[in-house]
Amino acid sequence: MNVAEAVGRVLASLGVDTAFGVVGSGNFHVTNALIEHGVRYVAARHEGGAATMADAYARLSGHVGVLSVHQGPGLTNAMTGITEAAKSRTPLIVLAGEVTAPRSNFFVDQAALATAVGAVPLRIGSAGTAVADTAEAFRVARDERRTVLLNLPLEVQGQTVPDAPDGDLLASLPAESRPEAKAVEELAELLAAARRPVFVAGRGGRAARRELERLAELTGALLATSAVAKGLFRGSPWDLDVSGGFASPLTAELIRGADVIVGWGCALNMWTMRQGTLIGPDAQVVQVDLDPDALGAHRPVHLGVVGDVALTARAVADLLDGGGREGFGYRSAALAGRIAGENRWRDVPYPDEGGDGRIDPRTLTIALDDLLPAERVVSIDSGNFMGYPAMFLDVPDEFGFCFTQGFQSIGLGLATAIGAAVAQPDRLPVAALGDGGALMGVAELETVVRLGLPMVIVVYDDEGYGAEVHHFGPDGHSLDTVTFPPADIAAIARGFGCEAVTVRDRADLAAVAGWVKGPRDRPLLVHAKVSAARGSWWLEEAFRGH
């Protein structure tokens, strides 16, 4: 067995079940080795798309993601997707061929590239260490939740590996990170005295719904999430949905009124706290996180607790057990009624701004929410439009929403939806894109069709880069650089093999209803000509941080 074969065998034995990539000479052998050992391989049309597919797959499957790319340009093509994964602490292994000869046209300092974007660079050092090096890459990705670049030098890949050991290559799962008793007691005391507590769960809290809901019942807390954890508390009468720029008026009101805000595996950054405006002047802020460096990184906290979210919530609840606080503080029958009747964005009145051949994006998204099956997985690109699907499309749980926005790059949405669809094959995949991002990632429409994904792709087309039009145009910048003539995106989609419909008003959505009825044998692209009367209010706060 050579090095490339050993890498594929080791990763498969450690539980890797799916890999994404674009094959070139430098990663041909390792990709074939993955397939030989039972790993599903999904071929993308561009390495950037493959990277984001692997990222999204890891987020929604709970497995370590794998990306396979060629040396040099294969890796550089993938760098934006790798940067997004690294910033989002996605457990992902990037397998890249590597040229070490400085005069080769393929040579770049691949380790430096990884370091520059926050990924962890590792290398197969020799045939003798290949198995251990691969296992270490997997450990770092899984246990430290990092994106790892595992470089595979071309001169090493073909070398013969000593007999690979059978059995467990990793002795055990990482030890649970238990919080210190003193910190648990301090948090329990703070929550016991709170009158209006709010919990905000982030990525680190996505596996702790049961523990967080139990503690919330004991303390009378309301429940919210960051955008990446949207859907975590779906079905709870105390679910406020997303905190931050996407928060409904009622959610913003209630979080601003909190006397204690606890971030559970949540950065409490400028997005989630609206530049801090959601934190009342007298509110005490607590942050619980596995990473000590995360505590207070974005804003001062009154108490920082290092520990696993589920273990910490369980420990605090055990101290407070003895009766809940229904009807006390925030939790009242009247408030439950307000949350049920006012908290969904579709329940907030708005003036419809459609007309002249364009549909209001709110009207469009509410109609799609009603038409599409509830069992869905929604993936959203970045851009001026993105709040509409984030706010008006419901999702069934935290595995129904994929938000690759750590780097704020447009063009990742379609690839995100593909990775999410592979991870959640029993749900209807929905991709929400702007026209700019859709055209950036258009090559992956072929991947959607080839994989036979019954995907709905919604393109919110305002014929420009809307954020720049609305938020920078008023500063005197010429709009000629950020607006474009009309493009028939529906015709482009048909050319790839999709069904497509252009939507200018509600009546045009009848075609969507027909597609939903079946047989759904081809993906559907909805080319929505949306009104562009205003900029997105959620980005007004965001741009203050630029």
Side-chain angles (χ1 to χ4, degrees):
M1 176 179 299
N2 65 28
V3 166
E5 293 166 344
V7 171
R9 173 185 170 182
V10 168
L11 289 176
S13 72
L14 291 171
V16 169
D17 59 4
T18 304
F20 301 81
V22 176
V23 170
S25 60
N27 66 321
F28 219 130
H29 295 297
V30 72
T31 303
N32 285 338
L34 289 167
I35 296 169
E36 181 183 346
H37 288 91
V39 176
R40 178 186 183 185
Y41 174 69
V42 178
R45 282 299 191 168
H46 190 278
E47 290 92 348
T52 301
M53 293 174 202
D55 179 3
Y57 179 82
R59 297 186 195 211
L60 292 192
S61 69
H63 298 165
V64 173
V66 169
L67 167 67
S68 178
V69 296
H70 183 63
Q71 66 270 15
L75 180 62
T76 58
N77 277 349
M79 285 311 298
T80 297
I82 292 170
T83 304
E84 167 62 35
K87 287 183 177 292
S88 298
R89 297 295 291 264
T90 299
L92 174 66
I93 298 172
V94 181
L95 301 173
E98 183 184 32
V99 166
T100 57
R103 292 186 178 275
S104 168
N105 61 311
F106 282 133
F107 176 79
V108 291
D109 190 339
Q110 296 189 173
L113 281 176
T115 300
V117 301
V120 178
L122 297 175
R123 175 177 286 113
I124 301 294
S126 69
T129 65
V131 171
D133 292 339
T134 306
E136 174 63 5
F138 184 89
R139 184 199 66 78
V140 172
R142 183 194 69 181
D143 299 354
E144 299 181 21
R145 298 194 63 83
R146 300 295 300 274
T147 294
V148 177
L149 170 62
L150 183 59
N151 284 309
L152 309 175
L154 299 188
E155 65 272 19
V156 174
Q157 287 193 40
Q159 295 176 6
T160 301
V161 174
D163 290 341
D166 292 320
D168 292 337
L169 294 168
L170 297 178
S172 63
L173 291 171
E176 293 180 322
S177 180
R178 295 185 178 277
E180 293 183 356
K182 184 176 184 297
V184 170
E185 292 170 4
E186 290 180 14
L187 180 51
E189 291 172 3
L190 194 63
L191 289 173
R195 294 296 178 265
R196 298 179 307 280
V198 171
F199 291 173
V200 183
R203 183 178 295 106
R206 291 176 77 234
R209 172 172 179 163
R210 181 177 61 184
E211 291 83 358
L212 290 173
E213 285 191 329
R214 177 189 171 212
L215 181 58
E217 289 170 2
L218 294 169
T219 59
L222 304 181
L223 299 162
T225 71
S226 66
V228 294
K230 179 181 172 69
L232 177 61
F233 301 115
R234 189 65 75 245
S236 167
W238 309 109
D239 177 20
L240 301 182
D241 203 33
V242 176
S243 173
F246 296 159
S248 70
L250 179 59
T251 291
E253 171 194 329
L254 293 172
I255 295 176
R256 283 194 186 103
D259 60 351
V260 174
I261 297 173
V262 185
W264 298 93
C266 177
L268 299 178
N269 58 24
M270 68 176 187
W271 309 100
T272 308
M273 290 290 108
R274 285 193 184 179
Q275 302 285 351
T277 62
L278 293 186
I279 301 173
D282 300 319
Q284 293 183 290
V285 178
V286 180
Q287 200 175 351
V288 179
D289 204 286
L290 281 171
D291 182 5
D293 293 335
L295 303 179
H298 293 278
R299 62 191 66 262
V301 295
H302 297 83
L303 174 63
V305 181
V306 178
D308 174 80
V309 166
L311 292 178
T312 302
R314 189 183 309 146
V316 175
D318 288 344
L319 287 182
L320 296 176
D321 207 356
R325 292 166 63 184
E326 295 284 341
F328 181 79
Y330 261 153
R331 289 200 173 194
S332 66
L335 182 56
R338 287 193 68 194
I339 293 172
E342 301 176 33
N343 200 56
R344 297 175 74 196
W345 267 103
R346 64 183 297 156
D347 297 325
V348 179
Y350 66 92
D352 192 300
E353 295 172 346
D356 296 326
R358 293 194 172 272
I359 188 170
D360 188 301
R362 293 163 291 191
T363 302
L364 166 75
T365 315
I366 290 170
L368 289 172
D369 189 49
D370 291 337
L371 286 169
L372 300 178
E375 281 298 309
R376 63 184 72 146
V377 54
V378 177
S379 301
I380 299 181
D381 209 334
S382 189
N384 186 68
F385 78 96
M386 66 184 183
Y388 299 116
M391 295 186 302
F392 290 95
L393 284 180
D394 282 340
V395 295
D397 54 32
E398 71 275 22
F399 295 105
F401 192 74
C402 200
F403 196 64
T404 47
Q405 298 288 323
F407 195 37
Q408 287 182 261
S409 172
I410 72 171
L412 306 186
L414 183 57
T416 298
I418 295 171
V422 174
Q424 297 289 330
D426 296 329
R427 298 186 177 190
L428 176 75
V430 180
L433 320 174
D435 53 303
L439 292 172
M440 278 190 181
V442 71
E444 301 307 343
L445 277 178
E446 189 279 334
T447 305
V448 176
V449 173
R450 173 166 35 89
L451 295 179
L453 299 176
M455 184 181 292
V456 175
I457 303 152
V458 185
V459 180
Y460 292 74
D461 183 9
D462 60 4
E463 296 171 6
Y465 293 126
E468 284 68 27
V469 169
H470 293 290
H471 297 290
F472 300 120
D475 294 336
H477 297 285
S478 170
L479 297 184
D480 292 342
T481 57
V482 291
T483 56
F484 301 90
D488 193 343
I489 297 175
I492 293 171
R494 293 187 191 103
F496 278 98
C498 299
E499 290 189 34
V501 57
T502 299
V503 174
R504 297 179 181 274
D505 55 38
R506 286 184 61 94
D508 293 331
L509 289 167
V512 178
W515 182 90
V516 168
K517 289 179 182 177
R520 305 186 203 170
D521 53 353
R522 291 193 294 166
L524 172 69
L525 185 136
V526 179
H527 180 201
K529 294 286 192 176
V530 296
S531 58
R534 68 174 67 229
S536 56
W537 55 93
W538 54 87
L539 279 181
E540 291 176 4
E541 286 123 0
F543 282 129
R544 295 183 197 137
H546 284 197

